[in-house]
Amino acid sequence: MAGTLSDQTRHLWIVCHGYGQLAQYFIRHFTALATADPTLAVVAPEALSRFYLQGTSGRVGASWMTRDDRLTEIDDYVAYLNQLTDTMLAACPAEVRVTVLGFSQGSATVSRWLAQARFQPTRLILWAGAFPPDMDFAVATHLARRVPIVLVCGTQDEYVTEENLAAQVAFLHNLGCPPEVRRFVGRHELNAEIIQHLHAEVSGLK
């Protein structure tokens, strides 16, 4: 976690990492944000499945799910994220504003989770990712019409092409929920300036 949960917390970010990443490193991208604003706390859950990134030793990463027993894994992480969020929200004032951010594989993760979550966030940020293609159309519509969506993507992202991004924008337009789109010069990565700008917008610091 970056920041501290208390009765002074006004903004809570829940940020879910991408495939092969670990929460302890992912949250470093948000530490400066929480340090600069004592009313903000950032929580970075870690995916439940760890693995060696290469072979049987060396660097370790985590994955939210694989194709094997995928429905059970989805149920597991939805339950995990619901339980974690219940705990976090219980430590915050009732009026806390919640931003949910998913990066890459984390975008599909938070989309599936929020479709079954027990709270409604202030907004959803899908960073270098999108609604999963197997997500129920009615469920996606219900979620998108309740929660403002921001799509963020680097101009040289090696995994998200211009066609991919355009398709996701068109998909959300067809749901009647046109998203905000933010671009930055970069690859498949987070961007500190965009993160700061997104927080400033919702916190009134802009």
Side-chain angles (χ1 to χ4, degrees):
M1 175 185 290
T4 304
L5 293 174
S6 71
D7 58 3
Q8 300 302 310
T9 303
R10 296 293 177 266
H11 303 279
L12 173 64
W13 282 42
I14 301 169
V15 297
C16 291
H17 63 77
Y19 177 80
Q21 297 180 315
L22 293 176
Q24 63 179 311
Y25 303 116
F26 189 67
I27 197 157
R28 292 178 181 176
H29 295 280
F30 304 90
T31 302
L33 206 64
T35 300
D37 183 359
T39 71
L40 168 68
V42 183
V43 179
E46 185 164 286
L48 300 175
S49 300
R50 283 189 168 192
F51 63 97
Y52 289 114
L53 294 177
Q54 294 184 335
T56 57
S57 65
R59 291 180 56 206
V60 172
S63 173
W64 290 101
M65 59 165 288
T66 65
R67 64 186 180 187
D68 292 335
D69 206 16
R70 59 186 299 279
L71 295 180
T72 298
E73 289 194 330
I74 291 171
D75 288 343
D76 286 346
Y77 73 59
V78 166
Y80 159 54
L81 292 172
N82 275 334
Q83 183 177 23
L84 175 67
T85 306
D86 287 348
T87 301
M88 298 297 103
L89 291 178
C92 298
E95 66 273 16
V96 67
R97 306 188 73 182
V98 182
T99 291
V100 174
L101 180 150
F103 173 73
S104 194
Q105 187 194 45
S107 293
T109 298
V110 298
S111 298
R112 293 189 180 99
W113 165 47
L114 290 179
Q116 305 179 52
R118 296 191 282 259
F119 78 105
Q120 181 171 316
T122 303
R123 62 182 170 174
L124 169 61
I125 301 170
L126 302 180
W127 195 304
F131 280 107
D134 61 347
M135 191 168 176
D136 181 84
F137 186 82
V139 170
T141 301
H142 181 63
L143 173 59
R145 289 181 177 173
R146 288 185 300 126
V147 181
I149 296 173
V150 182
L151 302 179
V152 185
C153 187
T155 54
Q156 285 95 43
D157 193 303
E158 57 268 42
Y159 298 105
V160 183
T161 66
E162 294 296 327
E163 291 75 16
N164 294 149
L165 180 60
Q168 185 65 188
V169 171
F171 171 73
L172 290 169
H173 269 283
N174 289 337
L175 295 184
C177 318
E180 294 183 47
V181 179
R182 306 295 174 86
R183 307 301 303 275
F184 63 94
V185 178
R187 298 166 67 85
H188 195 70
E189 59 193 355
L190 293 173
N191 176 276
E193 185 177 349
I194 294 288
I195 290 172
Q196 291 170 357
H197 190 69
L198 288 168
H199 177 54
E201 287 178 339
V202 78
S203 64
L205 298 174
K206 186 176 177 182

